[in-house]
Amino acid sequence: MEFIMVSNNLKSQTLARNMRQYSLLVSLNLILVLTILNSSNATNEATNLYRLLKSKRSKSPSVGASWATLPVHIALQNGLKEADKISSLPGQPDDVDFDQYAGYVAVDPAAHKALFYYFAESPLNSSSKPLVLWLNGGPGCSSFGNGGLLELGPFRVKRDGKTLYRNPYSWNNVANVLFLESPAGVGFSYGNESSIYEETGDASTAKDAYTFLVNWLERFPEYKYRDFYLAGESYAGHYVPQLAYTILQNNKITNLTHINLKSIAIGNAWIDDATNTAGMYDYFWTHAMYSDETHAKIQKYCNFSDEVTSEECNNATDKAGEEVGNNIDIYNIYAPVCLNPGHQQAHILDSVEVFDPCASAYVETYLNSEEVQKALHAKHQKWESCSSFDWQDSPDTVLPVIQKLMASNISVWVYSGDVDGRVPVTSSKYSINTLKLHIKTAWRPWYSDSQVGGYVVEYEGLIFVTVRGAGHLVPSYQPERALTMFSSFLQGTLPPQSF
């Protein structure tokens, strides 16, 4: 076991202590009212993002930050790949034709921190396909339980909470996909309480994810020099660019593994506090979810870039929340909500083609089975979709980091399910527009299965794609369109312009 010192300790950072009070506005009423109180996945993710925005107490540097070069723990990985191989998951179908692995990678022995992963190789020609790391956001939400079993993984969980069925639009059809439970304390990942609850934030998450990755590549050396892609959604709008920048910085250090990063994709991504907040309110107003009168007051009294917000702005945003009302899923404003998990109506089928609003309840039941946890080589524990943290650092914007990636010739894709209200298409467009990028390919529709799959515009260094009819968790609502888009992302081409 060796320790490679890359730069000064994280705790040497001096962080500004002023917070933007506008974050108190973001959903104090709107999110808590709109979030589906009877569903699990959406509630936890909305609550976690709200809690972070409310409690922000520091700003971390956004470019050239010291989290990009930190001490990296590298341990011997001999024999661990074989130990991590999954022979069979409980309830899996008979037609499983790919190798799957799960287990832990230690990232900080002093803090007893280890991150859990699930890895699904591609069924065909896995040796020639790229490696993709998927991250869910929150912050604090499970990439395996949410991304893996609700969105883009090879399996979905049936209503019985015991049986799996295949997802024909799984992203491992076109890539080898690695799901990481990050940071420690999320899903099956663990660490001692002080390290989790007193030190967790953007900086430690980027550091630990990078440490995980270089150790995982030692465990799976056949992927060391494979084309590598990063993808994620929601608060992974922070995770993904920050990890990508960390990789680029550490690639300059000759005694560390050189990771062949090609491109990143972030979906319905929280990347800039001010534009994302303004875009959320504009989206709800343009979709007739609160009144013209209230919106006029928000326009008059609210400037979400201000350090301090007025009482008039607070009153206006509170009123917007009241007018929208209860039992609206802001992660898909047109989707049904889960009213009675475990007793869903008969017309809801176990099929990826039919959205089931209670699906996250089935995942929770499945992953809390002792038999399932044993098959996954996970510690026996209570698994939850999302965990709560006192987040220690979160920059107001990661747009400067994204600019750094673009300047380093890393292709950036920003995609948006167009019926998500939490980080809606307006938020993404407002954020991108602040970059004032030159347009290479004008806005046009793209197609999947002879239907308009969404719209795309190509800028210098950045591609923006909408996915028609998809909510915040894009592959949950539009799995086929999501796979079409993802395949284009890997190929480095725009989504199809004809059917």
Side-chain angles (χ1 to χ4, degrees), residues 17-50:
R17 304 295 293 177
N18 295 329
M19 74 178 223
R20 292 184 183 274
Q21 291 188 7
Y22 80 80
S23 62
L24 294 173
L25 302 176
V26 183
S27 319
L28 180 56
N29 282 291
L30 187 58
I31 293 303
L32 294 182
V33 171
L34 292 179
T35 299
I36 317 167
L37 298 178
N38 295 316
S39 75
S40 56
N41 185 58
T43 299
N44 288 335
E45 289 198 353
T47 302
N48 278 21
L49 185 53
Y50 159 72

Tab-separated table of all heavy atoms in Angstrom, residues 17-50:
chain	number	residue	atom	x	y	z
A	17	ARG	N	-17.040	32.759	4.151
A	17	ARG	CA	-18.143	32.317	4.979
A	17	ARG	C	-19.479	32.983	4.627
A	17	ARG	O	-20.493	32.654	5.225
A	17	ARG	CB	-17.836	32.607	6.457
A	17	ARG	CG	-16.542	31.997	6.943
A	17	ARG	CD	-16.568	30.512	6.919
A	17	ARG	NE	-17.499	29.957	7.873
A	17	ARG	CZ	-17.721	28.665	7.988
A	17	ARG	NH1	-17.093	27.799	7.209
A	17	ARG	NH2	-18.585	28.225	8.879
A	18	ASN	N	-19.469	33.911	3.675
A	18	ASN	CA	-20.728	34.585	3.323
A	18	ASN	C	-21.571	33.710	2.420
A	18	ASN	O	-21.070	33.123	1.491
A	18	ASN	CB	-20.441	35.895	2.579
A	18	ASN	CG	-19.737	36.887	3.465
A	18	ASN	OD1	-19.951	36.886	4.665
A	18	ASN	ND2	-18.886	37.725	2.877
A	19	MET	N	-22.850	33.641	2.699
A	19	MET	CA	-23.718	32.842	1.833
A	19	MET	C	-24.734	33.734	1.150
A	19	MET	O	-25.076	34.797	1.647
A	19	MET	CB	-24.451	31.770	2.640
A	19	MET	CG	-25.558	32.276	3.508
A	19	MET	SD	-26.397	30.927	4.361
A	19	MET	CE	-28.074	31.476	4.117
A	20	ARG	N	-25.207	33.298	0.035
A	20	ARG	CA	-26.231	34.036	-0.698
A	20	ARG	C	-27.591	33.726	-0.083
A	20	ARG	O	-28.054	32.599	-0.147
A	20	ARG	CB	-26.232	33.638	-2.176
A	20	ARG	CG	-24.981	34.077	-2.912
A	20	ARG	CD	-25.122	33.720	-4.386
A	20	ARG	NE	-23.927	34.056	-5.109
A	20	ARG	CZ	-23.668	35.257	-5.623
A	20	ARG	NH1	-24.549	36.207	-5.477
A	20	ARG	NH2	-22.552	35.498	-6.262
A	21	GLN	N	-28.244	34.738	0.444
A	21	GLN	CA	-29.494	34.470	1.139
A	21	GLN	C	-30.624	34.126	0.184
A	21	GLN	O	-31.672	33.653	0.615
A	21	GLN	CB	-29.884	35.676	1.998
A	21	GLN	CG	-28.944	35.860	3.181
A	21	GLN	CD	-29.435	36.917	4.144
A	21	GLN	OE1	-30.541	37.421	4.004
A	21	GLN	NE2	-28.619	37.253	5.106
A	22	TYR	N	-30.422	34.385	-1.105
A	22	TYR	CA	-31.508	34.007	-2.010
A	22	TYR	C	-31.768	32.515	-1.959
A	22	TYR	O	-32.856	32.050	-2.312
A	22	TYR	CB	-31.194	34.425	-3.455
A	22	TYR	CG	-30.279	33.524	-4.187
A	22	TYR	CD1	-30.760	32.336	-4.746
A	22	TYR	CD2	-28.934	33.815	-4.308
A	22	TYR	CE1	-29.902	31.485	-5.403
A	22	TYR	CE2	-28.085	32.968	-4.970
A	22	TYR	CZ	-28.571	31.811	-5.515
A	22	TYR	OH	-27.741	30.959	-6.175
A	23	SER	N	-30.787	31.741	-1.550
A	23	SER	CA	-31.004	30.300	-1.505
A	23	SER	C	-32.112	29.929	-0.525
A	23	SER	O	-32.719	28.879	-0.620
A	23	SER	CB	-29.718	29.570	-1.134
A	23	SER	OG	-29.284	29.949	0.147
A	24	LEU	N	-32.376	30.811	0.455
A	24	LEU	CA	-33.478	30.539	1.362
A	24	LEU	C	-34.812	30.552	0.630
A	24	LEU	O	-35.788	29.952	1.075
A	24	LEU	CB	-33.499	31.594	2.482
A	24	LEU	CG	-32.306	31.570	3.431
A	24	LEU	CD1	-32.373	32.767	4.373
A	24	LEU	CD2	-32.290	30.287	4.225
A	25	LEU	N	-34.820	31.276	-0.498
A	25	LEU	CA	-36.061	31.347	-1.262
A	25	LEU	C	-36.336	30.083	-2.036
A	25	LEU	O	-37.471	29.724	-2.277
A	25	LEU	CB	-35.970	32.492	-2.285
A	25	LEU	CG	-35.712	33.884	-1.732
A	25	LEU	CD1	-35.558	34.836	-2.880
A	25	LEU	CD2	-36.839	34.283	-0.824
A	26	VAL	N	-35.264	29.470	-2.488
A	26	VAL	CA	-35.434	28.382	-3.438
A	26	VAL	C	-36.171	27.252	-2.765
A	26	VAL	O	-35.594	26.455	-2.051
A	26	VAL	CB	-34.085	27.906	-3.978
A	26	VAL	CG1	-34.290	26.828	-5.022
A	26	VAL	CG2	-33.337	29.085	-4.574
A	27	SER	N	-37.431	27.253	-2.917
A	27	SER	CA	-38.286	26.143	-2.546
A	27	SER	C	-38.636	26.026	-1.077
A	27	SER	O	-39.131	24.997	-0.671
A	27	SER	CB	-37.668	24.811	-2.985
A	27	SER	OG	-37.121	24.931	-4.241
A	28	LEU	N	-38.403	27.031	-0.254
A	28	LEU	CA	-38.814	26.916	1.141
A	28	LEU	C	-40.283	26.549	1.212
A	28	LEU	O	-40.696	25.700	1.985
A	28	LEU	CB	-38.562	28.227	1.885
A	28	LEU	CG	-38.937	28.257	3.353
A	28	LEU	CD1	-38.244	27.149	4.119
A	28	LEU	CD2	-38.639	29.614	3.959
A	29	ASN	N	-41.077	27.198	0.368
A	29	ASN	CA	-42.453	26.750	0.222
A	29	ASN	C	-42.625	25.963	-1.060
A	29	ASN	O	-43.260	24.930	-1.077
A	29	ASN	CB	-43.415	27.941	0.229
A	29	ASN	CG	-43.644	28.457	1.620
A	29	ASN	OD1	-44.263	27.799	2.437
A	29	ASN	ND2	-43.137	29.653	1.900
A	30	LEU	N	-42.058	26.462	-2.149
A	30	LEU	CA	-42.332	25.841	-3.453
A	30	LEU	C	-41.911	24.390	-3.477
A	30	LEU	O	-42.678	23.514	-3.863
A	30	LEU	CB	-41.599	26.620	-4.544
A	30	LEU	CG	-41.908	26.213	-5.974
A	30	LEU	CD1	-43.383	26.337	-6.258
A	30	LEU	CD2	-41.106	27.051	-6.943
A	31	ILE	N	-40.691	24.085	-3.025
A	31	ILE	CA	-40.232	22.707	-3.100
A	31	ILE	C	-40.974	21.838	-2.100
A	31	ILE	O	-41.427	20.744	-2.427
A	31	ILE	CB	-38.721	22.628	-2.839
A	31	ILE	CG1	-37.975	23.297	-3.985
A	31	ILE	CG2	-38.271	21.198	-2.691
A	31	ILE	CD1	-38.295	22.708	-5.332
A	32	LEU	N	-41.134	22.298	-0.882
A	32	LEU	CA	-41.767	21.444	0.110
A	32	LEU	C	-43.244	21.231	-0.184
A	32	LEU	O	-43.828	20.217	0.189
A	32	LEU	CB	-41.578	22.045	1.507
A	32	LEU	CG	-40.117	22.079	1.974
A	32	LEU	CD1	-40.042	22.645	3.390
A	32	LEU	CD2	-39.497	20.704	1.942
A	33	VAL	N	-43.862	22.192	-0.876
A	33	VAL	CA	-45.261	22.015	-1.251
A	33	VAL	C	-45.375	21.146	-2.492
A	33	VAL	O	-46.200	20.252	-2.584
A	33	VAL	CB	-45.936	23.387	-1.493
A	33	VAL	CG1	-47.322	23.214	-2.089
A	33	VAL	CG2	-46.026	24.162	-0.188
A	34	LEU	N	-44.506	21.436	-3.474
A	34	LEU	CA	-44.624	20.737	-4.750
A	34	LEU	C	-44.114	19.312	-4.703
A	34	LEU	O	-44.603	18.444	-5.406
A	34	LEU	CB	-43.826	21.487	-5.822
A	34	LEU	CG	-44.371	22.859	-6.214
A	34	LEU	CD1	-43.466	23.450	-7.258
A	34	LEU	CD2	-45.777	22.746	-6.732
A	35	THR	N	-43.087	19.061	-3.894
A	35	THR	CA	-42.516	17.715	-3.832
A	35	THR	C	-43.601	16.738	-3.429
A	35	THR	O	-44.402	16.997	-2.557
A	35	THR	CB	-41.394	17.683	-2.792
A	35	THR	OG1	-40.403	18.604	-3.212
A	35	THR	CG2	-40.790	16.309	-2.704
A	36	ILE	N	-43.595	15.599	-4.035
A	36	ILE	CA	-44.614	14.598	-3.752
A	36	ILE	C	-44.370	14.011	-2.386
A	36	ILE	O	-43.461	13.240	-2.189
A	36	ILE	CB	-44.554	13.466	-4.770
A	36	ILE	CG1	-44.365	14.066	-6.129
A	36	ILE	CG2	-45.773	12.600	-4.708
A	36	ILE	CD1	-44.001	13.039	-7.128
A	37	LEU	N	-45.204	14.362	-1.439
A	37	LEU	CA	-44.971	13.906	-0.078
A	37	LEU	C	-45.157	12.412	0.063
A	37	LEU	O	-44.645	11.803	0.995
A	37	LEU	CB	-45.921	14.640	0.873
A	37	LEU	CG	-45.724	16.158	0.907
A	37	LEU	CD1	-46.731	16.794	1.842
A	37	LEU	CD2	-44.314	16.531	1.300
A	38	ASN	N	-45.863	11.801	-0.885
A	38	ASN	CA	-46.114	10.365	-0.786
A	38	ASN	C	-45.199	9.523	-1.653
A	38	ASN	O	-45.368	8.318	-1.748
A	38	ASN	CB	-47.580	10.075	-1.168
A	38	ASN	CG	-48.540	10.699	-0.191
A	38	ASN	OD1	-48.328	10.623	1.005
A	38	ASN	ND2	-49.575	11.344	-0.693
A	39	SER	N	-44.242	10.142	-2.349
A	39	SER	CA	-43.300	9.355	-3.125
A	39	SER	C	-41.963	9.377	-2.427
A	39	SER	O	-41.737	10.175	-1.556
A	39	SER	CB	-43.169	9.911	-4.549
A	39	SER	OG	-42.415	11.091	-4.531
A	40	SER	N	-41.070	8.464	-2.811
A	40	SER	CA	-39.805	8.393	-2.097
A	40	SER	C	-38.676	9.058	-2.849
A	40	SER	O	-38.004	9.932	-2.329
A	40	SER	CB	-39.457	6.932	-1.800
A	40	SER	OG	-39.438	6.175	-2.978
A	41	ASN	N	-38.427	8.688	-4.107
A	41	ASN	CA	-37.244	9.156	-4.791
A	41	ASN	C	-37.260	10.656	-5.000
A	41	ASN	O	-36.325	11.361	-4.657
A	41	ASN	CB	-37.112	8.453	-6.148
A	41	ASN	CG	-35.829	8.825	-6.857
A	41	ASN	OD1	-34.757	8.629	-6.319
A	41	ASN	ND2	-35.946	9.373	-8.045
A	42	ALA	N	-38.347	11.167	-5.575
A	42	ALA	CA	-38.400	12.592	-5.850
A	42	ALA	C	-38.346	13.398	-4.572
A	42	ALA	O	-37.697	14.432	-4.488
A	42	ALA	CB	-39.662	12.931	-6.642
A	43	THR	N	-39.051	12.940	-3.530
A	43	THR	CA	-39.058	13.665	-2.274
A	43	THR	C	-37.650	13.807	-1.724
A	43	THR	O	-37.223	14.891	-1.346
A	43	THR	CB	-39.936	12.938	-1.241
A	43	THR	OG1	-41.263	12.871	-1.732
A	43	THR	CG2	-39.930	13.671	0.079
A	44	ASN	N	-36.891	12.745	-1.690
A	44	ASN	CA	-35.564	12.798	-1.109
A	44	ASN	C	-34.631	13.695	-1.902
A	44	ASN	O	-33.874	14.467	-1.335
A	44	ASN	CB	-34.979	11.389	-1.013
A	44	ASN	CG	-35.654	10.577	0.067
A	44	ASN	OD1	-36.199	11.123	1.013
A	44	ASN	ND2	-35.631	9.262	-0.086
A	45	GLU	N	-34.660	13.601	-3.220
A	45	GLU	CA	-33.768	14.424	-4.017
A	45	GLU	C	-34.138	15.894	-3.893
A	45	GLU	O	-33.255	16.753	-3.756
A	45	GLU	CB	-33.798	13.988	-5.478
A	45	GLU	CG	-33.112	12.652	-5.710
A	45	GLU	CD	-32.751	12.424	-7.160
A	45	GLU	OE1	-33.145	13.247	-8.006
A	45	GLU	OE2	-32.075	11.422	-7.443
A	46	ALA	N	-35.416	16.211	-3.947
A	46	ALA	CA	-35.836	17.603	-3.818
A	46	ALA	C	-35.474	18.144	-2.442
A	46	ALA	O	-34.987	19.263	-2.306
A	46	ALA	CB	-37.343	17.718	-4.056
A	47	THR	N	-35.717	17.356	-1.412
A	47	THR	CA	-35.418	17.785	-0.054
A	47	THR	C	-33.927	18.013	0.131
A	47	THR	O	-33.510	18.991	0.761
A	47	THR	CB	-35.925	16.741	0.958
A	47	THR	OG1	-37.335	16.577	0.774
A	47	THR	CG2	-35.664	17.193	2.384
A	48	ASN	N	-33.102	17.126	-0.425
A	48	ASN	CA	-31.654	17.285	-0.265
A	48	ASN	C	-31.140	18.546	-0.935
A	48	ASN	O	-30.312	19.267	-0.373
A	48	ASN	CB	-30.927	16.057	-0.814
A	48	ASN	CG	-30.896	14.914	0.172
A	48	ASN	OD1	-31.701	14.858	1.094
A	48	ASN	ND2	-29.969	13.997	-0.003
A	49	LEU	N	-31.606	18.830	-2.144
A	49	LEU	CA	-31.155	20.028	-2.831
A	49	LEU	C	-31.646	21.270	-2.098
A	49	LEU	O	-30.912	22.252	-1.924
A	49	LEU	CB	-31.631	20.033	-4.283
A	49	LEU	CG	-31.133	21.186	-5.153
A	49	LEU	CD1	-29.610	21.296	-5.100
A	49	LEU	CD2	-31.602	21.012	-6.590
A	50	TYR	N	-32.893	21.251	-1.642
A	50	TYR	CA	-33.424	22.370	-0.860
A	50	TYR	C	-32.586	22.590	0.393
A	50	TYR	O	-32.204	23.708	0.734
A	50	TYR	CB	-34.883	22.101	-0.470
A	50	TYR	CG	-35.328	22.915	0.722
A	50	TYR	CD1	-35.547	24.281	0.596
A	50	TYR	CD2	-35.480	22.325	1.972
A	50	TYR	CE1	-35.928	25.034	1.688
A	50	TYR	CE2	-35.859	23.072	3.061
A	50	TYR	CZ	-36.087	24.424	2.924
A	50	TYR	OH	-36.459	25.165	4.007
